Amino acid sequence: ITNKPNRNLIINGAMQVAQRGTSSVNQGYSTVDRFRSINAGVDEGPTREQADVATGTTPYGLGFRKSFKTTNGNNTNGAGSSDYYMIRTSLEAQTIANSGWNYTSALSHVTLQFWVKSSVSQNFYGHIRTQDGTGQRYAFETGVLSANTWTKVTKTIPGNSNLQFDNDTGPGLLISIMCFFGPDYTDNSVSLNTWGPYVGGTQMPDNTSTWYTTNDATFEITGVQLEVGSVATDFEHRSFADELRQCERYYQVLAKGQGKYFNGTACNYTSTQLFMPVTFKTEMRSTPSLVYAEGSGYYQLYDSNNTSGINFNRPTSFEYKNTLGGSFYVGASHISGLTAGSASLWYAANAAALLAFDAEL
């Protein structure tokens, strides 16, 4: 069965979900879920965004409406030897271990496909990299892209006896597309389309720097699919709700940018301490860290003796937590005037408020 459900091992490959926002100048996970961009040595930071796929293009006709797009800054000092800019997605080790890919056999394959577009015509490189055991890498190229033209890239990748994927929730497989990698990380002796040991200074052949040194050059990607087998099947389009649920294993939002938004019911432990329990919408990959925005009056509490509200600028911490939930704690350094022993209602009272949980790889 070539079009069986749940064959795409990539989460959010159609770039539908962007819980953190649709545009950012920050690297890491900052816009499209499960895809991060990483850079070093840039003279001016790139912009990342969840962009619209233009009507009339082939990806649009195939049902793609969103892409991950980056706009390059102005690297006036040229391409430094240690400079880089990449787009990456990470898969849990157990995802590969339980995928059905006999990854230690050269006779068993996975197939990677994606659509890519660059405003500059050149060849780009990428690699797949394993994380368990002795790290291995499989370098590949896109081929020379025509400027401002969507191109589909397909790579069929065999297993190898050196590959290891532990059956756990840690990082197992990294898929990286390089807009530019400086010569500190590259060497023309590297062979494409074959497995080799991962070494930081020899990850792929030398990169062309044209895109990197072109001010406001753009790079877009969508339709990322990794599946078991040697044939690239039609992209598995999943609903927004399905993709969001899978993304929430790694990052989920309790409140974001919503004035007077009800977050939950808290218990006033003392006049200066309260706890608000939270149950995650889906079990997270690991015990998450708390992400929050802080500002005067961002959050508000109402209890039996404070019907006009008590303002506070942020939670103090997130306590008693595991992959299923935990409890917000607000202490004396951030709040006072509570009615001890009373229940209180917690609101996000400012459009800039943010409460989220991060368990990313």
Side-chain angles (χ1 to χ4, degrees):
I1 300 174
T2 59
N3 286 322
K4 62 182 180 180
N6 302 314
R7 66 189 182 280
N8 189 3
L9 303 178
I10 303 294
I11 297 173
N12 202 32
M15 316 297 170
Q16 295 184 77
V17 181
Q19 294 185 81
R20 296 169 179 84
T22 57
S23 181
S24 177
V25 296
N26 298 320
Q27 61 174 315
Y29 293 106
S30 60
T31 54
V32 172
D33 280 62
R34 303 298 304 123
F35 286 81
R36 55 180 163 150
S37 57
I38 312 169
N39 59 258
V42 298
D43 299 321
E44 181 184 20
T47 299
R48 295 88 168 167
E49 63 181 302
Q50 181 194 46
D52 293 326
V53 175
T55 59
T57 62
T58 302
Y60 187 94
L62 294 173
F64 298 105
R65 295 295 181 267
K66 298 293 182 181
S67 70
F68 182 96
K69 179 179 179 180
T70 186
T71 301
N72 191 28
N74 186 10
N75 292 308
T76 54
N77 293 323
S81 62
S82 61
D83 291 2
Y84 63 80
Y85 185 75
M86 74 176 82
I87 296 170
R88 170 178 288 173
T89 188
S90 304
L91 283 72
E92 291 179 46
Q94 66 178 0
T95 298
I96 304 299
N98 294 283
S99 67
W101 179 29
N102 185 8
Y103 49 82
T104 59
S105 170
L107 301 178
S108 184
H109 300 80
V110 288
T111 299
L112 174 69
Q113 61 174 286
F114 55 90
W115 286 91
V116 65
K117 182 175 73 168
S118 167
S119 63
V120 173
S121 176
Q122 70 167 68
N123 186 29
F124 294 88
Y125 292 102
H127 64 49
I128 293 177
R129 174 182 163 192
T130 67
Q131 298 287 281
D132 292 325
T134 301
Q136 304 291 310
R137 59 103 181 100
Y138 185 97
F140 59 85
E141 62 184 347
T142 63
V144 177
L145 305 180
S146 298
N148 298 308
T149 302
W150 282 105
T151 300
K152 185 178 182 180
V153 177
T154 302
K155 300 294 175 182
T156 299
I157 301 155
N160 184 277
S161 59
N162 291 326
L163 304 188
Q164 178 179 332
F165 296 99
D166 298 337
N167 191 22
D168 60 26
T169 62
L173 191 71
L174 307 181
I175 302 174
S176 304
I177 310 296
M178 280 60 180
C179 295
F180 176 71
F181 242 30
D184 283 358
Y185 316 104
T186 65
D187 192 292
N188 275 332
S189 66
V190 174
S191 297
L192 295 175
N193 306 316
T194 188
W195 287 102
Y198 173 79
V199 179
T202 56
Q203 298 187 42
M204 63 190 62
D206 292 343
N207 283 204
T208 302
S209 62
T210 308
W211 184 93
Y212 186 72
T213 56
T214 300
N215 189 31
D216 294 334
T218 61
F219 190 90
E220 290 183 68
I221 188 170
T222 194
V224 184
Q225 179 157 293
L226 181 71
E227 59 190 309
V228 176
S230 57
V231 176
T233 66
D234 292 343
F235 183 84
E236 182 188 357
H237 287 280
R238 295 191 283 249
S239 71
F240 178 89
D242 286 344
E243 293 285 19
L244 176 60
R245 178 183 56 81
Q246 293 195 55
C247 290
E248 286 178 338
R249 175 169 170 78
Y250 304 90
Y251 184 88
Q252 56 182 269
V253 177
L254 180 64
K256 180 184 178 184
Q258 302 177 34
K260 282 293 185 183
Y261 178 76
F262 175 64
N263 298 137
T265 304
C267 173
N268 299 345
Y269 188 62
T270 69
S271 63
T272 59
Q273 293 176 297
L274 68 84
F275 292 90
M276 187 185 84
V278 174
T279 300
F280 298 142
K281 289 172 275 190
T282 187
E283 183 171 359
M284 303 198 74
R285 180 191 67 86
S286 62
T287 300
S289 59
L290 173 63
V291 179
Y292 60 84
E294 179 178 2
S296 178
Y298 272 26
Y299 309 97
Q300 206 167 58
L301 286 167
Y302 295 82
D303 65 22
S304 58
N305 289 332
N306 294 287
T307 56
S308 61
I310 300 174
N311 293 326
F312 63 106
N313 64 348
R314 69 172 177 89
T316 303
S317 59
F318 191 61
E319 307 286 346
Y320 309 110
K321 57 188 178 179
N322 57 27
T323 59
L324 297 173
S327 182
F328 282 112
Y329 169 71
V330 185
S333 59
H334 293 109
I335 201 167
S336 62
L338 301 173
T339 304
S342 174
S344 56
L345 301 179
W346 178 318
Y347 288 85
N350 188 288
L354 171 68
L355 298 171
F357 308 97
D358 189 326
E360 291 283 6
L361 288 161

